[in-house]
Structure formats: structure tokens, C-alpha cells
Amino acid sequence: MKNRRVVITGLGVVAPNGMNVSEFSIAIQKGESGVRFIEQLKELNFSCQIAGIPIYNSDYLNNYFNSIQLLGLKATGMEYGVIAGLDAWKDAGLPMSETDTPLWDIGVIFGTGIMGVDKFREAIYKVDEGNVRRLGSTTVIQTMASGISAFLGGILGCGNMVTTNSSACSTGTEAILMAYERIAAGNAEIILAGSTNDSGPYIWGGFDAMRILPHKYNDNPAEASRPMSATANGFVPGSGAGALVIESLESAKKRGATIYAEILGGHVNSGGQRNGGSMTAPNSEAVKQCIRKAVAASGIHADEIDAINGHLTATSKDSTEIQNWCEALGRRGVDFPYINSLKSLVGHCLAASGSIESVATILQLKENFIFGNINCEDLHPEIASLISRERVPVKTIDFSPEIIAKASFGFGDVNACVIFKKYKT
Amino acid sequence: MTEKELLSKLKTIITPYVQNQEGLIKLTEDTDFIKDLEINSANLVDVILDVEDEFDIEIDNDAMEKMLTVKASIEVIADKLAAK
């Protein structure tokens, strides 16, 4: 039996450079960076004192959480995920369910890397003081990984699969593919898919300690995140959430929903931490296989890909990633697709990166542009030797892409690649 | 502290957790937190912690298990205050 067609009918985003989809779309087209100096990181003696954090005041949460849910809420990832998730739901024109019957055909697959660390810190202090009885009822629900899918599933009344996936920086892209597969196979009609990541020093400290974050840009944060640049020197930590309503074409048509794009297919795999792959670096063979299998599963030819939204974190691995794309697609020089990295604008949003970057990718298909890579005027010479300079736009260009490939790679040597297409009947 | 004052303070404490506002309007001594006010049972521990903070008392597990109605709660609080 042929798989059913699957489309995207709603988007939501909470990003360092935009608190909703329209702000975010404008920011990425204008090249507005969301990377800022963070006083707290300076006070805590971080080498890297800059980060991408979504900016909003606490009143804003009243639009998404009821007063009971807000009591003792101390989990930024929960805030970002619920805001993005509910925005995507509304954007898809789906109603808030008032009935007692769960929505059996609607699920939630919302990933995270770690959540509620500030809540967990509060709990650790109380436990260590011998005061566990004073923790209150909210510690578990805010620190369990699946807290985010549980919150969203409960608010919306979802009765299909409600789960949280976790695969480091490929989490968001993986969630989209899990949703796609479940719907394509006929096991669900709609899935709210996405991912979220906490912000703050306890999240980023470990990366700072690994000396993989840039430390020379504390005075000019907007220039710090430099994917594909000769002067790239580490990823800027970010945070936020992205959410997509993924739906069978049949259901979307029946509802008369606006369709942003179609998901043609994709692939997830692992390099097994063999053959150059490790806990922190991808096995190039696995990356190439992931891309090739995604293309094959989508029923397209590699030549049909108009643009790539890469993983491209702004480390020395960027050149390797470009080489892998070249070999996997059999394309180079002027024949290479346009390529960009959202990380130049918001930093690396870790578990949230795949979903936020997918929202950016889908906006390109819907609104006909390729956003520019800021901080990449000095293209890395190894990349310049593989692909044409004009394939890496530094300013947003008017272009109507038909097919865009999006990939994410994560710690643990795990990969995910999804192929999006402009929707046509 | 009079029983009226205790009731008034208790009402303020439970208000944020109440899901049935009508029950709050009709609040009497016999009001049951879960049945009449639809307070989520998980939130009862938060009510207890707020009571501890407000009255500067400590409520042990045995006493906590009794605090399911307004009347029982006021009795426990009054006892703990008297023992201070």
C-alpha cells in the first residue's frame, strides 16, 4: 500500500529573534540576530557570555497557561514549548476541545534534550537540606522529559500517541519524521510535532567547559555565530521551541486547512560512533547515507533539491558537512543547491534547533525566499573549493524553491534528514 | 485567631488551586476540597505547604491526610497553632 500524503498545516515558533511566526519570518529575512550578551553568564565566569534567548515578559504566559499551571513554573523549555505548540495549533485552525472525549486521531510528538533544570536545581537544594517534604507537587511534571508532550497533550485533549523523543541536536527533525511516519502509515491524522530546549547557565555550562563555544565575541554578540565562515570558532548557545502541525492531506483537505508545505519523506540513522564518528562527531558515511536515503524515500532525484537548510553549527565540522552534502547529492560548484544555516541568526538551539530551523525552512517554501547567512562574508576556503560562493547567500534572496532538504546531526552520532516540498494539488 | 479569621485565610490559600469557582462562592465548613472545589489531588500538597508558610506551622503526614475538607483543615491548623 502506498503511503498517504502528509502536509504541514500550522506553525509556531519561539526563537531568540522572534516570539511568533510573523516576527520570526521578518527577522530571518532581514538578517536580524537574536544573539545577545547575557550578564548572568559573565557573573558566573563563563568564557562565552552570549546566547540566544527568547525575550518576553512573564505576563505573556497568561495567554498560554492557566493560573494553576503557572504556580511554581520554573522550566523555560516548558514555557517555550507550550507557547510554540499552542500557536501552531491555533495557526492550523484547530479548535480548543471542550468535550470529554479525547481526540483519538490527534497526537503529540514533542522532543527535548533536558527540561526544567531550574526547577530541578530548586529541588536539589531542598533535598540536600533534608527538606524533601517541601518540594511541592510540580517538581516531577516540570522535570520529566515528557513534561512538554504531557502538558500539550492535556491542554489539547489529544488521544493518539503523546510522547517526547530525545536525540540531542537532531531531536526536532526526528520528531517531524516520527510524526510523518505515523500519519503516512495511517495510525494518526494529525500530530503536533516539535521540540524545545531550556535556556540558562546550567544548560550551557557543560558546552562552555568543553571549550566549543566562542569566547571572543562577548562585546559584539551579533557577529559571534559564523557558520561556514573562515573565522567560525564555535557554536553560540541558543534556546527556544519550534512546532508544526503535521496532518494527512486527506484530513487537511476535509478541514479546508491552509497548507504550508508537503513532507515527502526522510530518514534517521546513526553512525554507530565508528569510522570517524564519536559521541560528539558524526561518521561522514552515515551522514551521506542518511541524506541519500531521505532523497530516495521521498521519490525525488537529488538534482531536484533547490536548497538545503544545513546543521552547520559554526565549527570546523562545517566544511565536512558541505563535503558530505556534495558527495551524497552528487552536486558541487554552481550546481550545488542554495544552502543556509539559521544558527547564524539565533545560535544553536540544541534540541530545539531542528524544529525551529524546519519552521524557517517551511517559511522559505511558503513565502518564496532564501534567507541570508549573516557573518559569512569570509566563506571558509575549504567550502569555497567545493561549492560556488553565490550558493551561500549572505543576504536574503527572492527565490521560489520547490524542494528543500533539512538535516540535523546530534551528539551520539545520530542524524536526521527530511525533505519538504512546496504543496501542489 | 478566631475561626472566622482562620477560614478567611484558608480561603485565600486554596483559591489559586480551585477549578470549580461556584464551590468557592458557596464555601462552607463542609466543603470538600476535591469533590466540591475540584482541586486536583496532586495540588493538595501545595495547599499544605502554603498553609505551613502562612501560619508558620509544620503539618506532618498524618495531619495532612485529614485535611480534605474546610472543617478538618481548620481543626488541624487550630491544633497546631495551639501547640506552638
Side-chain angles (χ1 to χ4, degrees), chain A residues 67-68 71 133-137, chain B residues 16-17 42 46 49 52-53 59:
Chain A
S67 56
I68 298 174
L71 289 168
R133 57 181 295 282
R134 296 279 315 174
L135 286 187
S137 72
Chain B
Y17 303 100
D46 302 308
L49 295 185
E52 289 188 340
D53 289 340
I59 295 170

Side-chain angles (χ1 to χ4, degrees), chain A residues 275 283-293 295 301-303 305 308 318-333 335-337 339 382 385-387:
Chain A
N275 192 24
N283 170 347
S284 286
E285 215 37 59
V287 168
K288 286 182 275 190
Q289 186 173 123
C290 186
I291 295 167
R292 285 194 192 109
K293 289 205 166 189
V295 171
H301 191 271
D303 288 344
I305 294 172
I308 294 165
D318 289 1
S319 305
T320 310
E321 180 178 337
I322 300 293
Q323 177 150 7
N324 287 335
W325 281 109
C326 286
E327 291 176 17
L329 300 178
R331 296 173 64 181
R332 56 181 63 223
D335 181 46
F336 195 76
I339 188 161
E382 283 172 28
S385 72
L386 293 164
I387 63 176

Side-chain angles (χ1 to χ4, degrees), chain A residues 95-114:
Chain A
M96 297 302 281
S97 169
E98 303 286 347
T99 72
D100 278 341
T101 309
L103 305 166
W104 300 119
D105 296 323
I106 305 185
V108 180
I109 301 178
F110 219 94
T112 189
I114 183 168

